[in-house]
Amino acid sequence: MSSAGAICRRPMAGDPGPAARTKEDIVKTVLNLFKLRIGVVITFTALAAAVITPGAPVSVAKMLVLGISVLLASASAGAFNQYVEHDLDARMARTRRRPFVTGALVHDARWLWLIMSLTTVAVLAAGWALNPLSALYIFLGAFFYAVVYTVWLKRRTWMNIVVGGLSGSFAVLAGAAAVAPGLPPEPLILALVLFLWTPPHFWSLAIAYRDDYVAARVPMLPAVIGAQRCARVVLANAVLLVAVSLLPVLFGSGPVYLAGAVSGGAYFIFKAARLAREPSRKNAMASFFASMVQLCLLLV
């Protein structure tokens, strides 16, 4: 049996086998394991940082390397997160369909080699095509999510997602360093925006699944202080986030950026305010998706 086959689920009695599984199933498994949706957003932040950073334009080839390197590093960190947390994932409704839990993928140590290989390729490619500082930031982004957040903090403190949010900020810094290692104010503000965005984004989701975190004994903020108080924290963080997101206008970002920042920010604050008034699961998910809209409008 090949190495790839060894770490995939073996057919059970009555199982139609790999040949009968659809391409859609495979795509869903890959998207799930490597968390590619959020990886694409993080990659977009790195590319946006490269665009807004003053300096000589980065070639298309280097932008391609930057994007692929950030995506690979993010994907490897996402897979490591699922590898380490498969026991927690099995206890939570939101995550119990993940491939290591269902058995679609065998929880085998060889996945660690694949994960480390992806990270190594990402860092070395960035170091070769861009510069060592950009490569360092890409490594730190993966390290903070995989090790600092997943291994050190998630099961110990409600500050887990606050510190873990630095992983997105490092992607921004990686994009900026590809243009100007000195890091001018524009990308630093965007890095701060990503840092402030992560907690209210994830805490909104955690409010919706508070019972899961309580049952799994994971100290996410709503499990520690309750949904009502956490919802107020989400609103306060959303207001601070939107205020900081307007700062690039002072450095010449222009009316198009201002329109995106104001419209997306107002929408997020509106949904967060509704959540603070009524911390229901429906409002929590609305706030969660509003945070995605806010960030996308900001970056576009």
Side-chain angles (χ1 to χ4, degrees), residues 2-244:
S2 68
S3 177
I7 57 180
C8 291
R9 180 170 64 88
R10 295 179 177 85
M12 305 290 288
D15 190 332
R21 297 186 193 117
T22 66
K23 291 182 179 179
E24 183 181 356
D25 292 333
I26 296 172
V27 169
K28 285 182 178 179
T29 299
V30 171
L31 286 173
N32 196 333
L33 175 63
F34 292 106
K35 300 187 177 183
L36 291 182
R37 293 183 182 90
I38 191 64
V40 169
V41 174
I42 292 174
T43 300
F44 194 18
T45 65
L47 297 176
V51 171
I52 68 170
T53 301
V58 178
S59 67
V60 174
K62 288 187 176 181
M63 289 287 277
L64 185 62
V65 172
L66 171 65
I68 292 175
S69 296
V70 171
L71 184 60
L72 283 178
S74 174
S76 65
F80 182 81
N81 172 269
Q82 292 202 31
Y83 182 89
V84 170
E85 294 186 352
H86 74 287
D87 59 325
L88 290 180
D89 289 343
R91 287 180 260 162
M92 300 176 63
R94 183 175 68 88
T95 56
R96 64 173 56 125
R97 299 303 302 168
R98 286 178 172 175
F100 285 133
V101 179
T102 63
L105 298 175
V106 176
H107 190 261
D108 190 286
R110 278 167 287 188
W111 281 104
L112 295 177
W113 289 104
L114 174 61
I115 290 165
M116 288 189 290
S117 297
L118 288 175
T119 305
T120 300
V121 168
V123 173
L124 290 179
W128 171 72
L130 304 173
N131 56 60
L133 186 58
S134 189
L136 174 62
Y137 287 138
I138 290 174
F139 168 76
L140 288 175
F143 179 80
F144 262 74
Y145 186 79
V147 179
V148 176
Y149 168 69
T150 300
V151 178
W152 294 346
L153 300 179
K154 184 167 183 178
R155 304 184 194 219
R156 292 183 173 90
T157 173
W158 67 268
M159 289 288 290
N160 47 26
I161 200 64
V162 177
V163 180
L166 285 170
S167 59
S169 299
F170 282 122
V172 174
L173 298 181
V179 179
L183 296 180
E186 294 91 329
L188 288 176
I189 294 172
L190 184 57
L192 179 58
V193 166
L194 261 293
F195 176 71
L196 295 173
W197 176 84
T198 304
H201 164 75
F202 194 85
W203 286 335
S204 295
L205 183 67
I207 290 173
Y209 291 93
R210 178 181 178 275
D211 292 344
D212 276 2
Y213 288 110
V214 171
R217 297 183 179 180
V218 177
M220 285 297 171
L221 189 60
V224 174
I225 66 174
Q228 182 67 69
R229 290 177 61 191
C230 184
R232 297 193 195 104
V233 174
V234 168
L235 176 58
N237 275 260
V239 171
L240 177 60
L241 163 67
V242 174
V244 172

Side-chain angles (χ1 to χ4, degrees), residues 261-300:
V262 170
S263 58
Y267 182 66
F268 186 21
I269 290 175
F270 172 74
K271 293 296 185 181
R274 178 173 289 180
L275 174 62
R277 288 194 301 271
E278 183 186 348
S280 64
R281 186 180 189 278
K282 177 182 178 181
N283 288 338
M285 293 304 298
S287 178
F288 171 76
F289 287 116
S291 69
M292 295 291 291
V293 171
Q294 184 267 339
L295 182 62
C296 289
L297 285 175
L298 190 76
L299 295 174
V300 169

